[in-house]
Amino acid sequence: HALVVTALALPVAVAMRAAPEEIAFGTSDHLATCAQLRWPEWNFAGQAVALAGLAFSAFIAADTVISLLHGLASADFVAHHVAFLAAGLLIRGHCMLPFNAAALLSMEASTPFLNTALLLRNRGARYARVV
């Protein structure tokens, strides 16, 4: 999920640095797709961020439920996921702040590296450095 979300959000975050304020920090009345009819040239950017936000929120929700069901979730894990899910649903549910959303979603690029570090840490002396 992280690569898909990053591939959708990062180009939009870069492009929206040059966008007018009413676009970068605006909203859309079309909640299903976050379509931008007032600024058609920015329509794809808004919809890409909306899709990335939907994918991110769905993953976070599923990850939280699965981790809770299998006893893998600590209190800080649940707090972290609930906070991000609330932010994701708020931004996506109101189709607002596309630049902020794109910038925040672009940080998912670090997830594969974090997952690798979590997999390899505390493996003990008997494990090799390479998986």
Side-chain angles (χ1 to χ4, degrees):
H1 94 281
L3 297 178
V4 171
V5 168
T6 301
L8 288 167
L10 186 58
V12 174
V14 171
M16 283 216 172
R17 290 180 357 171
E21 202 170 287
E22 61 269 11
I23 295 170
F25 304 108
T27 186
S28 171
D29 294 330
H30 302 278
L31 299 181
T33 63
C34 297
Q36 278 294 349
L37 300 182
R38 289 174 55 196
W39 304 285
E41 65 275 12
W42 290 98
N43 187 43
F44 179 76
Q47 290 185 321
V49 172
L51 180 60
L54 186 61
F56 175 78
S57 297
F59 174 81
I60 290 293
D63 192 38
T64 303
V65 170
I66 291 168
S67 296
L68 284 169
L69 288 175
H70 293 281
L72 302 172
S74 60
D76 60 334
F77 175 92
V78 173
H80 169 85
H81 277 60
V82 167
F84 277 88
L85 182 59
L89 292 176
L90 180 68
I91 291 171
R92 176 58 183 95
H94 294 284
C95 288
M96 62 183 191
L97 303 171
F99 175 67
N100 296 53
L104 292 171
L105 288 167
S106 295
M107 289 188 278
E108 280 297 294
S110 68
T111 299
F113 303 103
L114 174 64
N115 288 344
T116 302
L118 293 175
L119 175 70
L120 298 178
R121 76 175 181 184
N122 301 323
R123 290 171 45 98
R126 64 186 186 140
Y127 291 100
R129 290 192 179 270
V130 180
V131 176

